[in-house]
Amino acid sequence: MRFLRYLLMASAFYSAQASAECLTRGTGDMGIIIERAAGSVQVVDRSTHQALFRVEGLGDLSHASAVYSRDERYAYVFGRDGGLTKVDILCGKITHRVVQGGNSIGGAISQDGSLIAVSNYEPGGVKIFSSQDLTLVADIPATAVNSEKRAKTVGLVDAPDQRFVFSLYDTGETWVVDMTDPAKPQIQKNLNVGKLPYDGLITRDGRYYIAGLFGQDGLALLDLWHPEKGTRLILQDYGKGEQKLPVYKMPHLEGWAMAGNRAFLPGVGHHQVLVVERGDWNPVGKISVHGQPVFVMARPDGRQIWVNFAFPDNDTIQVIDTESLKVIKTLKPGKGALHMEFAPRGEEVWISIRDKDEIQVYDTRSLELIHSLPVDKPSGIFFTSRAHTTGL
């Protein structure tokens, strides 16, 4: 009995020591920043503008993204090398990691938080894992392009009713996967949605999925309330009669903007932001901007749109007023202004400046720089508030 009591006491002691290394606090004002060249992430405190941990060993993060568990404690980081890594942000450590593909391009977490889906270029398809321990739950191969290759999967998002939606770049398809029964995924395939869908987005209410098309003008729209109706083309006359410019970096539709009943989208091959009326999805305006837009993002209250640009104009950020549809501020934060993330209530925006090895924080009311934070070759910024937003 005495020996057993000793073991219990020792176990309690070591558990306390382990937990003492972790933070005891809420996670609502935390986030991670991708250090793309180093294969690491910084865990940050958004309120104090400070780094809390640096977590290494996440592989190739050259095109990394992340989602959060429902309790905001765990970040799931998707690496370009096929790595899926679960990070405990309160302890600053990796809890699980798998390399599930050869070339990956983002992922999503299910509505109930139990499943993590990963989109793969190689081998083409989507793999779905348990969020608890990253064990494989389902393997969904994409359509074969030839005997040696499957279509690249892109634009993967979560949707209501325990669904995932993604597009197939090479074959022009959009698939909806219902994971209500993880042992028997139900797949609805929408064929011939358009040429070369390169990315996708979902409206915050989870109703509409939109795929951008690189091979033709327009976008493919799928109403997830009525998926049986299939996709339809919208904005197919955009750019008609205009010469397209070289595309140095594909726009990211995930960072699209909704303000009121209007959507603001990057124009592919044009130095313009498109303004589209939700409902009939007809264009209502075009806003000329400094360069080729990459991210077009709305401040959470919809009052402003912040836009960054592809090379060679990636030293510039422009702010658009959504009422006047005019550019009200042009900022020059430095080369490699890659990613932006708003505070949940919109008082700040954090911007990664790759070539300066820093994060810059701007006050969205004064449009002035108020803080900076050293980060090694930063790219994506992901705050824990994303845990409660469809499609992020």
Side-chain angles (χ1 to χ4, degrees), residues 249-260:
K249 184 174 177 62
M250 295 301 296
H252 283 250
L253 291 184
E254 182 186 323
W256 80 315
M258 280 294 297

Side-chain angles (χ1 to χ4, degrees), residues 117-163:
V118 188
S119 180
N120 290 309
Y121 278 6
E122 296 176 7
V126 167
K127 292 183 180 179
I128 302 175
F129 299 85
S130 163
S131 62
Q132 290 295 316
D133 57 9
L134 303 190
T135 54
L136 184 65
V137 173
D139 186 350
I140 303 171
T143 301
V145 177
N146 54 46
S147 60
E148 299 178 352
K149 177 183 176 183
R150 294 188 177 275
K152 301 181 183 72
T153 52
V154 297
L156 172 63
V157 300
D158 60 285
D161 299 325
Q162 201 68 354
R163 292 176 293 176

Side-chain angles (χ1 to χ4, degrees), residues 67 374 379:
V67 297
S379 56

Side-chain angles (χ1 to χ4, degrees), residues 31-319:
I32 64 169
I33 301 170
I34 304 295
E35 295 184 319
R36 57 182 290 152
S40 55
V41 299
Q42 283 200 26
V43 180
V44 295
D45 182 316
R46 184 173 47 79
S47 297
T48 62
H49 307 101
Q50 293 179 337
L52 303 173
F53 299 107
R54 187 168 187 265
V55 185
E56 301 177 321
L58 280 79
D60 182 355
L61 300 184
S62 58
H63 197 290
S65 60
V67 297
Y68 285 95
S69 60
R70 292 183 3 163
D71 62 4
E72 303 177 354
R73 178 163 184 169
Y74 299 100
Y76 300 87
V77 181
F78 308 99
R80 192 60 186 263
D81 57 359
L84 168 60
T85 310
K86 184 177 181 179
V87 178
D88 184 336
I89 66 171
L90 286 181
C91 299
K93 66 179 184 181
I94 294 171
T95 66
H96 299 81
R97 175 173 165 79
V98 295
V99 177
Q100 54 78 52
N103 189 343
S104 297
I105 193 76
I109 187 167
S110 63
Q111 185 180 39
D112 70 355
S114 68
L115 302 171
I116 304 293
V118 188
S119 180
N120 290 309
Y121 278 6
E122 296 176 7
V126 167
K127 292 183 180 179
I128 302 175
F129 299 85
S130 163
S131 62
Q132 290 295 316
D133 57 9
L134 303 190
T135 54
L136 184 65
V137 173
D139 186 350
I140 303 171
T143 301
V145 177
N146 54 46
S147 60
E148 299 178 352
K149 177 183 176 183
R150 294 188 177 275
K152 301 181 183 72
T153 52
V154 297
L156 172 63
V157 300
D158 60 285
D161 299 325
Q162 201 68 354
R163 292 176 293 176
F164 294 109
V165 188
F166 57 91
S167 295
L168 281 63
Y169 177 81
D170 305 272
T171 53
E173 302 173 56
T174 293
W175 291 9
V176 181
V177 180
D178 187 333
M179 292 297 295
T180 303
D181 181 354
K184 297 179 180 178
Q186 302 297 310
I187 305 173
Q188 176 194 317
K189 300 180 181 181
N190 298 278
L191 309 178
N192 303 315
V193 303
K195 294 180 181 178
L196 305 180
Y198 70 89
D199 197 7
L201 60 90
I202 190 169
T203 54
R204 294 293 175 260
D205 59 8
R207 178 168 183 179
Y208 296 102
Y209 176 83
I210 300 175
L213 302 175
F214 187 61
Q216 66 183 86
D217 289 333
L219 304 115
L221 174 75
L222 177 64
D223 184 345
L224 293 171
W225 286 12
H226 304 286
E228 70 282 355
K229 294 182 179 179
T231 59
R232 66 183 178 95
L233 278 178
I234 60 172
L235 303 181
Q236 62 263 42
D237 292 328
Y238 169 68
K240 196 170 185 178
E242 300 177 13
Q243 183 178 358
K244 280 193 175 184
L245 300 171
V247 177
Y248 294 106
K249 184 174 177 62
M250 295 301 296
H252 283 250
L253 291 184
E254 182 186 323
W256 80 315
M258 280 294 297
N261 203 41
R262 288 177 169 177
F264 293 77
L265 299 165
V268 180
H270 300 277
H271 291 184
Q272 295 175 339
V273 171
L274 312 183
V275 187
V276 183
E277 198 75 29
R278 177 172 163 157
D280 56 14
W281 299 97
N282 287 325
V284 294
K286 302 175 185 177
I287 304 169
S288 295
V289 289
H290 177 71
Q292 185 181 121
V294 177
F295 284 99
V296 177
M297 301 183 69
R299 198 172 75 178
D301 65 352
R303 190 68 177 86
Q304 298 170 350
I305 304 296
W306 288 58
V307 186
N308 70 350
F309 303 98
F311 177 85
D313 300 311
N314 62 2
D315 63 342
T316 302
I317 301 286
Q318 288 192 308
V319 185

